[in-house]
Amino acid sequence: MKCDGQRITKTALHALTFLGWSMLSLASANAQTTSSQPASIPTTLSVAGVAGAAQAAYFSANAAELERLATATTAWAKSTSPREQYTYAYVQFRALQVAIGAKRKDVASKAGDACVDTVDAIVKREPKFAEAYALQSACYGYMTNLGGMAAIRNGSKSGKSIEAAMALEPRNPRILLVDGFGVYFRPKFVGGDKAKGCARFREAAAAFDAAAGASSAGIDWGVAESHYWVGRCAQDAGDASGARREFERAAAIAPDFLAAKRALTR
């Protein structure tokens, strides 16, 4: 792509913005190992129960449990309840993250498609469901790791989804977090800025703390990750005590968060 004196198109910018998600995947997943622990799928399925089980499975990199959760909630993909559909898409998002970290591209591709397709169905009925757009952006972002020409397409779609989310709820902590990843990992020559990305992570963490994780979707994902990335930024800035404080906060919120626990041992 030429940039000497030529205007970079918005679509191309979106694509470049989210190609950096491969770095994010490695940063969050390389401290994790695949687990075969027994499933803890709720006996009676509920949005909160399934979301909590999926989050715990992600933090402990339990791919098998995520696959079981996805199977158990398959009917929710076609549910008339946006919250059930969102929860199903969230399970697929966590399965996608773990599969990318384990380099299981076939599983990642299937989970990613399920996530973005389900969100498409949600926003057709609920076009102002801001957190759904953010979740879709995150799924498309991770799907850039699958490579090929699809990486450009997925990057572009990820950028468009987060724009839609920001237009609706610019102070929503989950949306701030996902937007922060884009700013942080975007190539510098198209406006990427790690300092601004870190500021966005701090905004997200503060907003999460102020809202106590409240979500219109009924799922409080992103809280621990926001503090983890604030810690990563502090670490990169040479603030060892600040980094440790944030890693400890992330681990306190999610005791099974292996990446945060690994950071504390370094």
Side-chain angles (χ1 to χ4, degrees):
M1 177 182 299
K2 295 181 180 180
C3 59
D4 50 337
Q6 294 185 11
R7 179 176 177 272
I8 298 173
T9 67
K10 196 171 187 180
T11 298
L13 176 60
H14 282 155
L16 287 166
T17 295
F18 286 87
L19 287 176
W21 282 73
S22 59
M23 298 169 63
L24 168 60
S25 175
L26 291 172
S28 61
N30 64 3
Q32 302 181 358
T33 55
T34 301
S35 170
S36 59
Q37 297 174 1
S40 58
I41 298 173
T43 302
T44 301
L45 295 180
S46 67
V47 166
V50 169
Q55 183 158 270
Y58 162 69
F59 284 133
S60 60
N62 192 334
E65 183 165 350
L66 284 166
E67 290 176 15
R68 287 190 286 268
L69 281 166
T71 299
T73 57
T74 298
W76 285 7
K78 305 294 183 181
S79 174
T80 57
S81 164
R83 291 184 68 204
E84 289 184 347
Q85 284 187 302
Y86 180 91
T87 304
Y88 174 76
Y90 172 76
V91 170
Q92 296 291 355
F93 166 55
R94 291 310 197 184
L96 167 62
Q97 289 180 291
V98 172
I100 288 294
K103 302 186 187 305
R104 298 175 65 197
K105 287 192 173 183
D106 56 336
V107 176
S109 180
K110 181 179 178 181
D113 286 343
C115 173
V116 299
D117 290 348
T118 302
V119 174
D120 274 340
I122 294 171
V123 298
K124 281 180 181 178
R125 290 206 315 267
E126 300 283 346
K128 293 186 178 181
F129 196 159
E131 288 193 19
Y133 287 112
L135 180 60
Q136 185 178 59
S137 176
C139 286
Y140 273 129
Y142 268 89
M143 289 170 73
T144 62
N145 293 287
L146 299 175
M149 291 303 296
I152 301 296
R153 183 174 64 252
N154 289 329
S156 175
K157 290 181 177 180
S158 183
K160 290 176 181 177
S161 292
I162 196 59
E163 277 195 351
M166 287 291 289
L168 290 166
E169 296 184 18
R171 305 313 305 165
N172 181 299
R174 264 160 290 279
I175 294 171
L176 288 169
L177 178 64
V178 175
D179 187 53
F181 291 140
V183 177
Y184 186 90
F185 288 108
R186 181 184 302 160
K188 192 171 183 179
F189 77 93
V190 288
D193 189 321
K194 288 189 181 296
K196 289 183 179 178
C198 288
R200 187 69 77 180
F201 295 146
R202 289 191 290 272
E203 287 181 68
F208 273 126
D209 290 347
S215 166
S216 58
I219 301 176
D220 63 353
W221 68 273
V223 185
E225 291 101 316
S226 69
H227 284 283
Y228 171 80
W229 281 97
V230 172
R232 282 286 301 272
C233 289
Q235 187 177 63
D236 291 344
D239 181 3
S241 61
R244 184 171 187 82
R245 181 172 61 252
E246 294 299 329
F247 292 146
E248 287 177 344
R249 175 75 171 132
I253 294 168
D256 292 330
F257 195 174
L258 297 183
K261 291 196 292 186
R262 178 67 62 84
L264 287 169
T265 65
R266 292 172 183 164

